[in-house]
Amino acid sequence: MPIKCNLCEAGAILKRPKTGDALCKNCFYFAFEEEVHKTITDASLFVRGETVAIGASGGKDSTVLAYVLKVLNQRYDYGVNLVLLSVDEGITGYRDDSLETVKRNQQQYDLPLKIVSYEELYGWTMDAIVKQIGLKNNCTFCGVFRRQALDRGAILMKVDRIVTGHNADDIAETVIMNVLRGDIGRLQRCTAITTGNEGALPRSKPFKYTYEKEIVMYAYFKKLDYFSTECIYSPNAYRGFARAYIKDLEKIRPSAIIDIIHSGESLSVKKAVKLPTQGTCERCGYISSNPLCKACILLEGLNRGLPRLGIGKSHKERRKLNEMLAQKGETGNEETTSESSRETTADEQSGATKSKQKCENCGCGQKCLSEEVENLQLDRRKIDPALIDF
């Protein structure tokens, strides 16, 4: 006997992973869109007149997000201007193909599109980074650079807010990852529907309570044009293990995804626990809880041939950098002392009574402005003190 839709008594074609309800196609569309609308209105995500950039990768999440936001903006008159913003990480055979999908979406949804690239912003592509770092920690670079690239692209487009296609599964995975890493700072804010209010641009997640399986079903039944290939550099990503764990939990208890999110929302931290203080990077001005942001640390490592500099909490590459600077300092001091001795001897032999020239570098009253010292000072300026302390 055919199963009937729980809402309209028509023939059901699917069972919702999130609620277990049997629904027909049209009722599923309506329920899916209304839940996203409720998330948007309950959190007051949009303000009339805002320009909102949709982080578009060509994948299922961002494609469905762009389609649904366009539908809801027309249905409920949000009064926002929607634009597409894409990041080209420089991954041959993956991102170049997915960007073709984004360009088709631009035509299908009639929305403006801006593409920014790692090579343009940082002077590196992910292909080049992987050659340096290998496949073990490459996702660290990509995640840090991508987040900053989205903000930079949004500033170029003069938008007021960024929305991303992060779904309930993604957020539950992030909660689990932060628990396993003991990252209290990120654990507190990873379930927030809007982040970045303290920075240049707020970033929101309209799909916070939307299951990944339902996004796939919506895209499939709507016949949306999206790119479904996984990144060629992500098989060893730490998130992949958290994802597998979440999927196993979902098979046993479908509500586990939302339960984990609610658990993350309910967590509180003792007042005695010291949390990172948000500030700005001394070098690029981006949001950071350290003197230098993670992107600047990683770039410094790449440019200096120490690609593992920003990986982990403590690493031998940082010791190498300290030793390199210390060695340069010792060499510079030896050369400066030698130069000063030669000049003093020359003055004594000639018997000249010259007034001492004040050193422009250290104010010591001796003439130590040799070419070697100038080079040493240039080397010191290339390595920020904040980077040495990192």
Side-chain angles (χ1 to χ4, degrees), residues 94-126:
Y94 168 69
R95 185 53 72 203
D96 45 1
D97 292 338
S98 69
L99 286 176
E100 292 302 316
T101 304
V102 174
K103 292 173 184 176
R104 292 196 299 271
N105 291 158
Q106 176 194 13
Q107 301 299 321
Q108 293 158 358
Y109 306 151
D110 190 28
L111 297 174
L113 170 65
K114 171 73 175 177
I115 300 175
V116 293
S117 70
Y118 283 6
E119 187 169 22
E120 169 191 345
L121 295 175
Y122 310 117
W124 287 83
T125 64
M126 276 309 299

Side-chain angles (χ1 to χ4, degrees), residues 132 300-301 304-310 314-329 383 387-388 390:
Q132 288 268 351
E300 185 75 21
R304 285 190 157 273
L306 301 171
R308 299 183 63 82
L309 180 65
S314 178
H315 197 272
K316 61 183 180 182
E317 298 291 348
R318 293 173 197 159
R319 292 197 295 274
K320 283 184 186 177
L321 193 62
N322 286 333
E323 290 169 4
M324 185 190 309
L325 183 64
Q327 187 176 4
K328 285 181 178 291
I383 308 175
L387 181 63
I388 301 305
F390 180 76

Side-chain angles (χ1 to χ4, degrees), residues 279-332:
T280 55
C281 174
E282 295 176 358
R283 180 177 294 183
C284 70
Y286 192 68
I287 316 166
S288 175
S289 55
N290 293 306
L292 291 183
C293 70
K294 189 74 168 179
C296 285
I297 296 290
L298 293 174
L299 275 175
E300 185 75 21
L302 288 171
N303 294 331
R304 285 190 157 273
L306 301 171
R308 299 183 63 82
L309 180 65
I311 304 297
K313 294 183 179 179
S314 178
H315 197 272
K316 61 183 180 182
E317 298 291 348
R318 293 173 197 159
R319 292 197 295 274
K320 283 184 186 177
L321 193 62
N322 286 333
E323 290 169 4
M324 185 190 309
L325 183 64
Q327 187 176 4
K328 285 181 178 291
E330 290 172 4
T331 304

Side-chain angles (χ1 to χ4, degrees), residues 1 55 125 210 273 320 344:
M1 181 178 177
T125 64
T210 306
V273 176
K320 283 184 186 177
T344 302

